[in-house]
């Protein structure tokens, strides 16, 4: 049974408790579903957890002290285009901005159980989204599924994105004259040349399941089969180097990632 992970980001305890109660009631009526619900009183607290955790749906209060819900949503969308966002608020002033960050619902307080159940049923009925990441190339901007990326390699002034072999896929152009055919041709060789610097890319993906294992390599942890003293063995049987300085960090990240997947 797959677990549905839900986050509630709400600074007012009564509203957070009511929302959690609605979710628990829904869970009792959906015996085949396993859920995990976590509450956060501040956006900064959630963002710290979100750097390491994955969620399927996030209920975000827009009006919070410090980092508000809309800014939190924008930060989420920088690297995660798939998670379902539901805004909760007492006013309707942010409707247009909600569309910009692709929120699926805008719930006005006090939130009714019926509206919450509608959101959760929608999540259950739709297939799990594939997280897409945006990258700059010579021709424009390309969007690629995160799970299809095996590792990145610094090569001169460019970064090479190596893709998992044996999958038929088409990157999606989101800007510039970069058509489907061009992307398909590049991916036949299982690599794409990016314009982004390697160090900038490492910073950009620091909150995603990638681990820097060498000064020139950034690897998707999901595709690691084994970590040895001097190299990583990938599930594809490929090998990339591990530096002595980063070895312990790579091992810890590898173990933590798969323990979390099993939980």
């Amino acid at each position: 049974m797959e677990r549905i992970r839900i986050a509630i980001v709400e600074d007012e305890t009564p509203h957070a408790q009511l929302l959690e109660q609605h979710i628990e009631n829904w869970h009792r009526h959906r015996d085949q579903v396993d859920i995990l619900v976590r509450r956060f009183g501040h956006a900064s607290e959630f963002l710290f957890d979100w750097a390491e955790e994955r969620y399927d749906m996030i209920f975000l209060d827009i009006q919070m002290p410090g980092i508000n819900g809309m800014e939190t949503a924008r930060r989420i969308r920088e690297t995660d285009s798939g998670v379902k966002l539901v805004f909760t608020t007492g006013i309707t002033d942010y409707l247009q901005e909600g569309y910009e960050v692709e929120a699926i619902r805008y719930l006005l307080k006090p939130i009714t159980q019926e509206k919450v159940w509608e959101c959760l049923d929608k999540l259950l009925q739709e297939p799990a989204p594939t997280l897409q990441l945006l990258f700059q190339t010579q021709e424009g901007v390309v969007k690629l599924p995160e799970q299809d990326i095996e590792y990145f390699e610094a090569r001169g002034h460019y970064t090479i994105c190596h893709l998992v072999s044996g999958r038929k896929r088409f990157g999606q152009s989101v800007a510039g004259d970069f058509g489907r055919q061009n992307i398909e041709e590049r991916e036949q060789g299982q690599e794409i040349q990016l314009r982004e610097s390697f160090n900038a890319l490492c910073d950009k993906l620091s909150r995603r399941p990638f681990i820097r294992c060498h000064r020139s390599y950034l690897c998707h942890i999901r595709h690691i089969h084994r970590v040895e003293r001097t190299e990583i063995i990938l599930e594809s049987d490929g090998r990339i180097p591990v530096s002595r300085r980063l070895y312990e960090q790579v091992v810890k990240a590898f173990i933590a990632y798969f323990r979390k997947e099993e939980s």
Side-chain angles (χ1 to χ4, degrees), residues 135-144 171-187 192-194:
F135 300 103
Q136 293 282 344
T137 69
Q138 289 286 3
E139 294 85 355
V141 181
V142 63
K143 181 167 67 173
L144 294 169
Q172 181 177 345
S173 173
V174 295
D177 184 18
F178 193 36
R180 173 171 172 158
Q181 183 63 34
N182 283 338
I183 300 172
E184 182 185 14
E185 289 172 354
R186 286 173 177 269
E187 295 197 40
I192 296 177
Q193 181 175 286
L194 308 180

Side-chain angles (χ1 to χ4, degrees), residues 147-152 162-167 169 189-190 219-226 232-240 254 258:
Q147 65 186 21
D148 284 2
I149 299 170
E150 192 170 40
Y151 64 94
F152 297 93
H162 293 265
L163 301 163
V164 178
S165 61
R167 295 186 185 179
R169 66 177 78 79
Q190 303 305 322
C219 181
H220 195 313
I221 303 174
R222 177 176 180 174
H223 299 304
I224 296 176
H225 175 64
R226 186 169 71 252
I232 286 174
I233 313 300
L234 300 168
E235 290 181 337
S236 64
D237 291 330
R239 296 168 182 259
I240 58 176
F254 178 54
F258 284 98

Side-chain angles (χ1 to χ4, degrees), residues 27-41:
H27 181 216
R28 281 194 287 269
H29 285 76
R30 302 290 188 275
D31 295 336
Q32 77 279 20
V33 179
D34 182 24
I35 67 170
L36 172 68
V37 181
R38 289 183 176 168
R39 282 169 43 188
F40 302 91

Side-chain angles (χ1 to χ4, degrees), residues 71-106:
E71 176 60 26
T72 303
R74 292 193 182 99
R75 295 192 187 186
I76 291 170
R77 286 295 184 234
E78 287 177 1
T79 56
D80 192 335
S81 61
V83 63
K84 298 287 192 300
L85 299 180
V86 179
F87 284 126
T88 63
T89 184
I91 60 176
T92 59
D93 295 358
Y94 296 91
L95 278 172
Q96 181 58 43
E97 293 178 86
Y99 291 126
E100 293 173 5
V101 293
E102 299 180 0
I104 66 166
R105 292 296 297 269
Y106 196 106

Side-chain angles (χ1 to χ4, degrees), residues 32-83:
Q32 77 279 20
V33 179
D34 182 24
I35 67 170
L36 172 68
V37 181
R38 289 183 176 168
R39 282 169 43 188
F40 302 91
H42 300 280
S44 57
E45 179 187 359
F46 164 75
L47 289 171
F48 181 80
D49 178 81
W50 177 74
E52 300 294 334
E53 187 57 273
R54 174 186 65 82
Y55 291 99
D56 300 290
M57 178 170 283
I58 303 169
F59 289 87
L60 270 172
D61 179 22
I62 292 182
Q63 295 176 290
M64 291 186 291
I67 306 172
N68 65 30
M70 192 59 66
E71 176 60 26
T72 303
R74 292 193 182 99
R75 295 192 187 186
I76 291 170
R77 286 295 184 234
E78 287 177 1
T79 56
D80 192 335
S81 61
V83 63

